[in-house]
Amino acid sequence: MGDDAQLAQLSSCLQQSLSPDPAVRTQAEQFLKDGSVQPGFSMLLMRLLASEGSDATVRQGAAVTFKNLVKNNWVEKEADVVGAPAPYSVAAGEKDQVRAMLVGLMLGAPRLVQAQLSEALSIISAADFPERWPGLLPELIQRMGTPGARDFNAVVGVLTTANTIFKRYRQAYKSDELYKELKYVLDTFAGPLLELLKEVSAAIDANAANLELLVNLFKCLRLICRIFFSLNSQELPEVFEDNMDAWMGEFHKFLCYDNPALAAVDNKDREKAGAVDQVKAAICDNVNLYIEKNEEEFQRFLQTFVQDVWTLLTKTGLEPNKDHLVTSGVRFLTTVANSVHHQLFAGGDTLRQVCESIVIPNLQFREDDEELFESNHVEYIRRDIEGSDSDTRRRGACELVKGLTAKFPEVMTQSVSGYVTALLGQYAADPSNSWKAKDAAVYLVISLVVKSKSVVKGATETNDLVSITDFFTQQIAPELARAASGDAAGGTGRHVLYADALKFLTIFRSQIPKPMATQALPAVVSLLASRENVVHTYAANALERTLTVRDLPPAGSPPGARSQPRYAPADIQPVAQQMLQNLFGVFAMTDSSENEYAMKATMRLISFMGDGIKPIAGVCLERLSGMVMETCKNPRNPTFSHYLFESVAALVKAGAGDPGLIATFEQLLFPPFQHVLQQDVVEFAPYVFQLLSQMIESHPSALPASYMGIFPALLVPMLWDRSANVTPLVRLLEAYLRKAPNEVHGAGHIQGILGVFQKLVSSRAQDHHGFFILNAFVEALPLAAWADKLPAVWGILFQRLQSSKTTKFSKCFVVFLSLLAAKHGVPSVTESMSKVQPGIFEMVLTGVVADAIASISGSVEEKVVAVAGAKFLTECPAVMAQDAAWAKLLNAVVTMMERPAEHKGEEDMDAEAEEAEARAGYSAAYNALRQAARKETDPVPDVTDPKVNLARALAGASAQQPGRIGIIVSGQCAPEVQQAIAGYCAQGGVAIQ
């Protein structure tokens, strides 16, 4: 097929990929997927992209396909399956052709196409620049033109490309390779960049009336500022330090720049920041970077820029198109306030001016906020709710108050308290029309009081000069009481104040005493029924966060005592049923059918109530199972769906061991489960497998035949090809093996499960799951049921050890071998291994096992290995006969047991909880249901202390050979090992002869 025919076919296929007909679309997508792993396909796409006569949607589709090809196939990857050929990657010669064309193609492409090509260029430059793409920067510099003869429209494209390349330096980890690359970039690009800055600056001065040119010049200037940020993000380069006067002079000039005619053009769009404001915001980001990273070198410019930014902020209005500028400027002042230079703000008058001119104006509830509250609650919540990372004027103003209060606590507390009193006075005088004053007062108090906070705990450190309980009693409780009395009506102002009260309760949930918070619960329940989306969402969030509050152990508690939940199920019992009713009512409201905060609160409430949920568990599950069926039709909100399944898991957890409830659950859940699996709802399949596992583990008696009926389907290879399925499917196989080992064995499924094991263990990414299956065999099945398969298992494992041994694989191997010995005796290992190769056990034990033992981690894994180690050291004559090998194994076992335990304090667990909750929702990766987590069991419960167990085993062996073991220990074990063994013996009341 000729080039023209191929281009025509590709163009047709790209058009078909947008077809509303699923069959046509699927066929076209498959063609593109197949083509992306064919040599020359990237160049075919580039030729289509270069064809200006092609349809715009076709070029856009080609750009997306090219970007995906680069993302998936540019960087060479190692095959995951051991011994398999490496996945396809673009050939070196084809890459050369792509790199030669890409910059020019991108600069001449339409804007939407350019955006996709920019992302592709970013991936390619991250992989190839500069070693395999040495001509990139020289080409960019050449395309910028020469001084005095530049096409600034083209310069914008070049700088956009450079910004794409350099942006990754902002988050890159420090390394010698990174600094080598940065040095090359700085040596090549920093000089021309400064030269361009000066030329752009001069052109702006010379063309004050040419508004069209000025817009392009300010685009150039913004990109220069962003490149400056990227190139300075690691540390202060010498080339920028030497030219700091020039750079800072230009930054100062443009922070103060004013062109009324250009401002009029910029301000035509109230929503989008204008060209000049974007430059000023970028400059604020740059000087903020310098005060954070280069404080000493930047110090001489600091006073000037503080004054510049202060003046700029006091003159900037409340229009939405100024938001980015204001948040950047306020962030800079906040950084200064938090630095050693905070004395620049010292003095009551200065702090008063900050509050009056910057803080309070930017805390005000604007018309745009009101519009968001009423019409776009999702965006309002995203910006405002605790834990959001969104930059807003309000957040910036609050952070500035927080920073200044930390440095000037008494003065700021007195000053801000005065403003709060005045604002509350305005509200008291005219509540209907001055509700915005109280809203601002609440935010001022929050910013004044909170020193630090977290998503898990809310406020964790507060300003002792302000009484949280007094403000709650006087200003927040009355709002909540109004809601509790049924007065949840009113205009936007009333609803905003309800939301503020709920936010205050949420943030200070740890500081507000339990009696006060308990009194507020009826109000929270009432506000769950509010028709305002923001209000019922904040009520759900307040309820969910309140139920997680924990109190520190009382004074005098023993060391290591854990914090305790502040609230017990009895505390909420009077309103619990109404809570659930109102939470389910949220999902019937407009735009809240998939409200993730309400679903998370549902999950938390079900889990919190424990056994108390049982009387209504069936009703709850009926509602939830119906929601699962509905959500399956169009999964839109991953976080909502995750907590929907968490809620189901919480009910199953509560009903564990109750035959009646389990039967009800099966009746209600099997239809949606069947729908998910039959309709191949890939997002939900991992959740279904986890819930099936939980139900099997929770079953109070023998598994019904219905469970065993679906078992063969779990061994279908296609299910295991999806990486997100692997973890929950392995858990499900383990559940079957532990709950119904005889049925699994009797039905002849052992060979099929071992086939899954073989598939998994050949994958570098999934091999540990193969060992989980083997470990379940060891713990659940009688050895006789699979002893004849053990030699084949060892053969597979030895082959993998020989061809592709990794640290992870070695550790898993050691744990499996140890578990087998601990549960079924050393002969189960030695005899089955000898059938593969006589004498191989001793080689493996003193080689792979002894080398890997020290790296074993996890309390259960360490105990299993320690128990098995004691057996190997005292029950294997062949090993005991080799003094050096025996001592090596003993050293390894003792070293492992003496390694400090990885203790995770509550702060660590809180951090993990925050991270887990931030990631909640399905994705290409597996997401665990925390409510369905399996309790870890001890495989060797008869051994209470593995250290004493080792001492007694050694003492017993030494009694058989008096003097020999003691000599080996004293002569070939490290002093710290000898000392540890002496301690074990003393603890166990034994001695080694």
Side-chain angles (χ1 to χ4, degrees):
M1 188 182 292
D3 283 359
D4 291 344
Q6 286 182 317
L7 284 173
Q9 183 183 19
L10 177 58
S11 178
S12 173
C13 187
L14 287 165
Q15 285 180 322
Q16 291 170 2
S17 70
L18 303 173
S19 170
D21 185 337
V24 173
R25 189 171 64 248
T26 301
Q27 186 177 1
E29 289 170 349
Q30 189 60 48
F31 175 87
L32 295 174
K33 183 179 179 181
D34 293 342
S36 67
V37 294
Q38 296 297 320
F41 192 69
S42 63
M43 289 306 301
L44 191 63
L45 287 166
M46 295 198 81
R47 282 197 290 274
L48 184 57
L49 285 164
S51 172
E52 295 185 4
S54 297
D55 183 81
T57 56
V58 169
R59 293 180 77 186
Q60 176 71 8
V64 172
T65 304
F66 177 76
K67 177 197 70 177
N68 290 337
L69 183 151
V70 168
K71 186 183 294 182
N72 296 322
N73 302 320
W74 191 267
V75 178
E76 294 182 11
K77 302 181 183 75
E78 186 180 38
D80 177 50
V81 176
V82 177
Y88 169 79
S89 64
V90 179
E94 190 175 337
K95 288 180 179 179
D96 290 338
Q97 291 178 287
V98 169
R99 289 189 291 256
M101 288 182 62
L102 185 54
V103 173
L105 187 60
M106 178 178 159
L107 294 179
R111 185 175 60 83
L112 293 177
V113 171
Q114 195 174 72
Q116 300 296 328
L117 294 180
S118 172
E119 192 172 338
L121 185 142
S122 176
I123 297 167
I124 294 172
S125 63
D128 294 354
F129 176 78
E131 284 83 2
R132 290 181 293 277
W133 204 352
L136 178 57
L137 284 192
E139 180 182 357
L140 292 178
I141 292 169
Q142 180 265 324
R143 287 180 179 275
M144 280 198 299
T146 56
R150 299 189 198 267
D151 175 359
F152 286 107
N153 194 39
V155 171
V156 169
V158 174
L159 291 175
T160 300
T161 305
N163 187 40
T164 297
I165 297 166
F166 302 147
K167 198 178 289 184
R168 64 190 177 87
Y169 298 144
R170 300 177 192 175
Q171 307 296 333
Y173 291 107
K174 299 183 190 302
S175 67
D176 292 341
E177 291 77 12
L178 175 67
Y179 285 128
K180 180 182 177 182
E181 181 181 324
L182 264 173
K183 184 180 186 307
Y184 165 74
V185 170
L186 292 164
D187 290 346
T188 308
F189 205 76
L193 189 69
L194 179 57
E195 186 179 70
L196 179 62
L197 170 67
K198 292 176 179 177
E199 187 174 347
V200 168
S201 177
I204 289 172
D205 293 340
N207 295 278
N210 187 342
L211 299 184
E212 185 177 347
L213 177 59
L214 280 179
V215 169
N216 258 348
L217 289 169
F218 272 95
K219 285 181 181 178
C220 289
L221 192 53
R222 186 191 75 83
L223 287 164
I224 290 169
C225 289
R226 299 312 292 154
I227 291 170
F228 175 95
F229 188 93
S230 297
L231 297 182
N232 283 270
S233 290
Q234 290 292 324
E235 58 183 37
L236 177 60
E238 186 177 343
V239 66
F240 283 104
E241 186 175 3
D242 292 344
N243 293 285
M244 196 179 291
D245 286 312
W247 282 98
M248 295 304 148
E250 296 294 342
F251 289 168
H252 166 64
K253 169 184 172 180
F254 286 106
L255 271 182
C256 302
Y257 181 84
D258 185 36
N259 183 329
L262 184 57
V265 173
D266 279 353
N267 291 328
K268 282 182 180 178
D269 188 340
R270 289 186 73 255
E271 301 299 324
K272 183 181 177 182
V276 177
D277 287 344
Q278 288 185 45
V279 167
K280 292 181 178 181
I283 291 172
C284 288
D285 291 340
N286 287 344
V287 294
N288 186 66
L289 177 71
Y290 264 49
I291 189 62
E292 284 181 333
K293 288 183 173 285
N294 312 308
E295 194 174 296
E296 184 179 341
E297 295 84 355
F298 184 65
Q299 183 174 351
R300 59 196 174 97
F301 302 101
L302 185 58
Q303 180 78 53
T304 298
F305 281 105
V306 168
Q307 187 61 53
D308 289 346
V309 173
W310 183 310
T311 303
L312 178 65
L313 290 173
T314 56
K315 294 193 303 182
T316 302
L318 296 175
E319 299 82 7
N321 62 354
K322 306 289 183 183
D323 287 357
H324 183 207
L325 173 58
V326 170
T327 55
S328 296
V330 171
R331 189 186 307 114
F332 168 67
L333 293 185
T334 303
T335 304
V336 176
N338 286 321
S339 74
V340 296
H341 303 288
H342 59 270
Q343 288 300 325
L344 288 170
F345 296 99
D349 287 343
T350 304
L351 294 172
R352 179 180 56 77
Q353 290 175 33
V354 171
C355 290
E356 286 185 2
S357 304
I358 297 174
V359 171
I360 291 179
N362 289 300
L363 267 178
Q364 294 290 344
F365 198 89
R366 301 175 299 169
E367 286 183 15
D368 296 272
D369 298 320
E370 192 168 345
E371 185 178 332
L372 275 182
F373 188 93
E374 295 173 341
S375 307
N376 191 353
H377 69 281
V378 173
E379 180 63 16
Y380 182 92
I381 292 165
R382 186 188 69 80
R383 293 183 182 186
D384 184 67
I385 207 162
E386 177 187 5
S388 167
D389 59 357
S390 176
D391 281 332
T392 63
R393 290 184 183 238
R394 276 194 155 189
R395 180 151 299 181
C398 288
E399 288 299 314
L400 181 56
V401 171
K402 179 179 166 183
L404 291 171
T405 303
K407 301 298 182 183
F408 311 103
E410 291 84 3
V411 178
M412 278 298 291
T413 300
Q414 183 179 2
S415 179
V416 172
S417 296
Y419 291 116
V420 169
T421 301
L423 289 165
L424 291 174
Q426 290 178 34
Y427 170 74
D430 186 5
S432 298
N433 297 310
S434 298
W435 58 268
K436 291 182 181 179
K438 182 167 185 178
D439 170 75
V442 172
Y443 274 81
L444 263 181
V445 170
I446 291 172
S447 59
L448 181 66
V449 174
V450 176
K451 289 185 176 181
S452 61
K453 63 180 180 178
S454 72
V455 174
V456 168
K457 294 185 176 180
T460 53
E461 188 179 1
T462 58
N463 181 353
D464 294 336
L465 300 175
V466 180
S467 172
I468 296 169
T469 53
D470 285 353
F471 190 81
F472 180 83
T473 302
Q474 295 164 14
Q475 302 299 332
I476 303 300
E479 296 293 342
L480 295 173
R482 187 178 289 111
S485 67
D487 182 16
T492 299
R494 174 60 50 214
H495 293 129
V496 169
L497 294 181
Y498 285 151
D500 290 346
L502 291 165
K503 181 172 183 174
F504 190 94
L505 176 64
T506 305
I507 291 176
F508 297 110
R509 56 188 178 272
S510 296
Q511 289 76 27
I512 295 171
K514 180 177 176 178
M516 286 187 182
T518 306
Q519 275 189 323
L521 275 180
V524 176
V525 175
S526 295
L527 291 172
L528 284 170
S530 168
R531 306 302 301 181
E532 282 292 334
N533 297 89
V534 173
V535 175
H536 63 238
T537 298
Y538 276 37
N541 189 54
L543 169 62
E544 190 273 327
R545 292 287 83 195
T546 298
L547 295 181
T548 66
V549 175
R550 302 180 71 89
D551 288 326
L552 294 173
S557 298
R562 298 289 305 277
S563 61
Q564 297 296 316
R566 176 177 296 180
Y567 301 95
D571 296 322
I572 65 165
Q573 194 59 43
V575 291
Q577 192 161 346
Q578 191 64 46
M579 275 184 188
L580 272 172
Q581 185 176 327
N582 287 2
L583 280 170
F584 280 118
V586 168
F587 306 121
M589 295 186 193
T590 305
D591 295 330
S592 270
S593 60
E594 293 193 4
N595 188 310
E596 62 198 63
Y597 293 94
M599 188 50 75
K600 187 176 182 182
T602 302
M603 176 273 294
R604 188 73 65 199
L605 182 57
I606 292 170
S607 174
F608 182 84
M609 290 175 68
D611 288 343
I613 196 70
K614 285 185 175 182
I616 54 173
V619 177
C620 291
L621 192 57
E622 188 173 357
R623 296 289 299 272
L624 292 172
S625 63
M627 294 170 77
V628 170
M629 290 290 282
E630 189 63 31
T631 307
C632 282
K633 297 175 184 176
N634 182 19
R636 292 173 297 173
N637 185 335
T639 309
F640 168 84
S641 300
H642 182 84
Y643 285 116
L644 171 58
F645 283 100
E646 286 278 18
S647 299
V648 174
L651 283 172
V652 175
K653 183 179 177 180
D658 186 318
L661 275 180
I662 292 294
T664 301
F665 292 169
E666 289 166 353
Q667 181 183 356
L668 291 170
L669 290 176
F670 277 11
F673 287 179
Q674 190 174 21
H675 178 82
V676 168
L677 299 178
Q678 287 182 347
Q679 299 299 315
D680 198 24
V681 185
V682 294
E683 300 94 336
F684 292 171
Y687 292 132
V688 168
F689 296 140
Q690 290 178 77
L691 289 170
L692 278 171
S693 303
Q694 186 188 20
M695 291 171 71
I696 290 171
E697 292 158 1
S698 303
H699 223 282
S701 56
L703 279 186
S706 55
Y707 284 93
M708 293 309 302
I710 65 174
F711 189 91
L714 303 179
L715 305 179
V716 173
M718 187 185 74
L719 275 181
W720 296 87
D721 290 338
R722 292 175 181 154
S723 59
N725 285 349
V726 172
T727 301
L729 276 174
V730 168
R731 159 97 181 270
L732 186 51
L733 289 184
E734 291 181 77
Y736 273 105
L737 285 167
R738 295 175 196 279
K739 191 70 179 180
N742 296 331
E743 290 86 341
V744 172
H745 178 236
H749 293 309
I750 298 298
Q751 190 63 47
I753 299 173
L754 287 174
V756 172
F757 148 74
Q758 186 171 3
K759 175 183 174 69
L760 294 175
V761 88
S762 68
S763 164
R764 292 182 179 87
Q766 308 286 5
D767 50 14
H768 56 292
H769 290 297
F771 281 105
F772 292 164
I773 292 175
L774 291 184
N775 294 345
F777 269 42
V778 174
E779 292 189 64
L781 289 173
L783 185 60
W786 64 295
D788 59 324
K789 308 292 193 301
L790 258 176
V793 168
W794 291 125
I796 293 167
L797 297 179
F798 292 158
Q799 185 179 3
R800 173 64 199 277
L801 279 171
Q802 189 173 18
S803 64
S804 182
K805 182 174 73 172
T806 63
T807 302
K808 180 181 70 164
F809 186 89
S810 297
K811 289 164 69 173
C812 291
F813 178 84
V814 170
V815 172
F816 164 62
L817 180 147
S818 300
L819 183 62
L820 184 60
K823 293 290 287 186
H824 297 296
V826 173
S828 67
V829 178
T830 57
E831 292 173 8
S832 57
M833 277 194 186
S834 67
K835 293 178 181 177
V836 180
Q837 180 183 324
I840 196 172
F841 168 72
E842 291 78 13
M843 294 167 51
V844 169
L845 186 67
T846 57
V848 175
V849 174
D851 292 339
I853 281 178
S855 64
I856 300 298
S857 58
S859 57
V860 172
E861 289 83 354
E862 288 178 12
K863 181 180 180 183
V864 167
V865 172
V867 171
K871 289 180 177 288
F872 293 141
L873 288 164
T874 59
E875 298 177 19
C876 295
V879 176
M880 295 176 71
Q882 304 174 49
D883 292 2
W886 189 90
K888 177 184 177 183
L889 182 61
L890 179 60
N891 272 307
V893 171
V894 174
T895 300
M896 177 195 70
M897 290 196 292
E898 287 300 298
R899 190 175 57 229
E902 183 185 342
H903 174 69
K904 289 183 180 177
E906 289 190 46
E907 293 301 320
D908 299 314
M909 288 186 283
D910 284 347
E912 287 184 6
E914 288 193 36
E915 186 179 352
E917 292 187 353
R919 291 196 312 263
Y922 51 77
S923 65
Y926 158 73
N927 281 285
L929 292 173
R930 298 173 72 190
Q931 294 296 326
R934 187 181 66 207
K935 290 182 179 178
E936 201 169 56
T937 56
D938 186 352
V940 282
D942 51 318
V943 175
T944 54
D945 188 334
K947 295 179 178 180
V948 172
N949 178 70
L950 175 63
R952 288 174 177 165
L954 291 176
S958 71
Q960 302 297 319
Q961 304 178 47
R964 183 169 178 270
I965 289 181
I967 291 172
I968 300 174
V969 170
S970 60
Q972 299 192 41
C973 288
E976 58 271 19
V977 171
Q978 296 180 42
Q979 184 177 355
I981 292 173
Y984 304 165
C985 290
Q987 191 176 349
V990 295
I992 297 174
Q993 299 180 28

